[in-house]
Amino acid sequence: MTTPAKPADVHRTWRAGRVLLALTSVFAAIAVCGVVWLAVDLYAVGVAAGRLQGETVPWTIERQRLGRNLEQLRLEGQRVLTASSPAGRQDALFLVHVLSAQPGMADDPRTASLAAEVERFLQQVEAPATPADMQVWEALSSRLRLMADDLSVEGGKRMSRELGRMSGEMAQASYKLLFNLALMAGFMAAFLLVVRRYLIRPLQRIRRVLSALDPRGPVPAFPPGPMAEIRAVEDAIVRFHATLLENDEVRLRLERLATTDGLTGLFNRHHFMALAADEMARAARYGRPITVGIADLDHFKQVNDTLGHAAGDRVLKTFAMLLGDTLRQTDRVCRYGGEEFAFVLPETTPEEAQLLGERLRTRLLESPPVLPDGRHLSVTFSLGLADASGCGLEESLARADLGLYEAKRAGRNRTVVTRRPDGL
């Protein structure tokens, strides 16, 4: 932090003022009048900078945050209407309530009214949503989006207006400097240099930084300067960037929570089904082979019952790491439920997938889970595979599940490929 340096910066500014006072005494009454004339504009610039620091920047940040909250409210409302389970719907409704109840949302009558209207509508809609409900939601969603855009535009306009006003006041001060240059050439030259170096350039730099501000970009860096108002604006921009970065990281964490399993780090079932559907559609479009599979850890319940759930979690994590190290980046795998894992293997025939299963089995035997007390736990798994070319995802997973059942019935620790009824 540069807080200790700020008193020195202000002191230097006051020394320049004393130099200005000494020079004006040499030029007598005319010089004093010129300095007073210029001081009026300099005071106006200071007021504008203080207004930018104390009002405009916080107000603009609040507009930006409020706009992001409205957009998040719209996304959570969409989740309420499209949730595939009651738990997902309740989670989304809870987030809608939290967003609607935020103090910033209630401070603005427009957003408070719209947020309350959205929350009432979402609480009244029964699952599944009817076409009429979706039509009403589309209208509300459009209003949320437009209001979020309006808030962002308001913030940008006010910031530009304040900066324009400050620039205009500086331009006026420059004109007065030029007017007095004939009488106070040396003094005015020094003063113009100070103004250009410590005020105009920082303002231009601030405008460039604001126009290119990106939460994923580097932290804005400003060289140290003596102007307290400029430093305050620069510090506010740095804090604003940190807020944007924090919000972006929160968004990414929420996305990870929504798409991955918390224990294994693999995709969760809901996200996997969407990815698998895309892969199968791509394979059908280009006529490429694709295989799905379901794996189940053998005697996993016995591990939990005899060694405890901590040992079971260690087994699941070890198996998940093995899958990540063995499968290709294009393969999709998820924790399907409990000790079951589902796969989608693009560009892979059932025979190739069977070889992959055997490789997984060998690697699991070579690198068994290690318990906290140092013991190695011998674990095996059963795998059912099915050719998914030319058929639906649910059907393919059902046939893979039949293969898993056959593997279990045949003694476990093996791979079974289930053929389609037509033998293809």
Side-chain angles (χ1 to χ4, degrees):
M1 297 294 292
T2 58
T3 302
K6 288 183 179 179
D9 293 342
V10 175
H11 181 64
R12 284 197 297 269
T13 302
W14 281 109
R15 283 201 302 269
R18 287 197 294 269
V19 171
L20 174 65
L21 181 61
L23 291 174
T24 55
S25 63
V26 175
F27 291 98
I30 297 177
V32 170
C33 292
V35 170
V36 171
W37 195 27
L38 292 172
V40 172
D41 281 340
L42 290 176
Y43 174 77
V45 171
V47 171
R51 184 170 56 250
L52 187 65
Q53 168 196 352
E55 299 178 8
T56 304
V57 171
W59 187 88
T60 301
I61 294 174
E62 181 63 23
R63 296 290 94 180
Q64 296 278 351
R65 186 182 65 82
L66 194 55
R68 287 193 301 273
N69 286 343
L70 287 176
E71 180 62 19
Q72 188 64 35
L73 179 62
R74 186 183 70 83
L75 295 176
E76 295 302 331
Q78 188 69 28
R79 282 186 57 204
V80 171
L81 297 178
T82 59
S84 58
S85 65
R89 174 184 171 85
Q90 288 301 319
D91 290 344
L93 278 173
F94 174 74
L95 289 176
V96 167
H97 176 72
V98 169
L99 290 169
S100 301
Q102 286 192 355
M105 194 79 75
D107 291 342
D108 192 309
R110 299 172 300 170
T111 59
S113 174
L114 182 55
E117 182 180 352
V118 168
E119 185 176 7
R120 286 195 304 270
F121 169 74
L122 294 174
Q123 290 175 345
Q124 293 170 359
V125 171
E126 299 290 340
T130 65
D133 293 334
M134 293 305 296
Q135 186 175 3
V136 174
W137 171 246
E138 287 298 330
L140 288 173
S141 177
S142 177
R143 289 170 59 191
L144 284 170
R145 188 183 297 107
L146 289 175
M147 184 169 291
D149 292 342
D150 289 344
L151 291 172
S152 298
V153 170
E154 287 175 7
K157 285 184 177 179
R158 180 165 177 176
M159 181 67 73
S160 298
R161 186 168 56 251
E162 290 295 335
L163 289 174
R165 184 181 303 172
M166 188 178 295
S167 298
E169 291 168 350
M170 283 308 308
Q172 185 175 355
S174 299
Y175 297 148
K176 292 182 178 180
L177 285 172
L178 293 174
F179 181 80
N180 287 278
L181 188 59
L183 297 176
M184 303 179 295
F187 170 76
M188 295 306 296
F191 184 79
L192 184 60
L193 178 63
V194 169
V195 169
R196 185 170 182 269
R197 179 175 179 181
Y198 296 116
L199 193 58
I200 295 180
R201 285 184 177 177
L203 285 175
Q204 292 171 340
R205 183 168 55 247
I206 287 172
R207 179 176 297 198
R208 288 194 299 269
V209 169
L210 285 175
S211 63
L213 197 62
D214 182 1
R216 293 189 172 275
V219 177
F222 300 97
M227 296 295 293
E229 295 85 358
I230 295 297
R231 293 298 301 275
V233 174
E234 292 170 347
D235 291 343
I237 292 174
V238 173
R239 292 194 300 270
F240 181 44
H241 178 272
T243 301
L244 291 177
L245 180 60
E246 181 181 355
N247 290 341
D248 196 55
E249 291 174 348
V250 169
R251 178 185 62 81
L252 292 176
R253 286 197 297 270
L254 289 175
E255 288 180 357
R256 285 194 295 270
L257 289 173
T259 59
T260 59
D261 174 64
L263 177 64
T264 63
L266 300 176
F267 291 132
N268 59 31
R269 181 171 180 170
H270 175 74
H271 190 58
F272 168 80
M273 295 298 283
L275 294 176
D278 291 341
E279 291 293 346
M280 294 193 65
R282 188 179 299 109
R285 186 183 310 120
Y286 297 107
R288 305 301 300 168
I290 186 169
T291 301
V292 300
I294 297 180
D296 184 89
L297 294 170
D298 297 328
H299 304 296
F300 183 76
K301 184 177 184 302
Q302 183 177 352
V303 173
N304 277 337
D305 292 342
T306 58
L307 300 177
H309 289 282
D313 291 347
R314 181 66 63 92
V315 170
L316 291 173
K317 290 179 180 179
T318 300
F319 189 59
M321 291 176 60
L322 176 65
L323 294 175
D325 293 340
T326 307
L327 298 179
R328 302 167 300 179
Q329 289 186 348
T330 55
D331 297 332
R332 306 299 184 184
V333 59
C334 80
R335 186 182 178 189
Y336 202 60
E339 67 273 21
E340 286 190 342
F341 297 80
F343 307 82
V344 168
L345 308 174
E347 302 290 337
T348 306
T349 64
E351 291 74 17
E352 294 170 336
Q354 190 170 13
L355 293 176
L356 176 61
E358 294 306 316
R359 186 160 66 249
L360 284 170
R361 192 184 326 284
T362 301
R363 293 197 63 184
L364 184 58
L365 291 174
E366 294 173 349
S367 303
V370 181
L371 299 180
D373 59 6
R375 287 183 297 166
H376 289 73
L377 186 62
S378 179
V379 177
T380 62
F381 68 94
S382 301
L383 176 62
L385 298 171
D387 185 359
S389 303
C391 56
L393 177 60
E394 296 292 343
E395 177 188 349
S396 302
L397 287 173
R399 286 192 289 106
D401 195 50
L402 287 177
L404 176 62
Y405 176 76
E406 290 296 329
K408 292 286 189 181
R409 190 175 64 176
R412 297 181 171 83
N413 191 24
R414 65 195 64 222
T415 300
V416 173
V417 177
T418 304
R419 303 294 177 181
R420 276 185 274 181
D422 56 4
L424 298 178

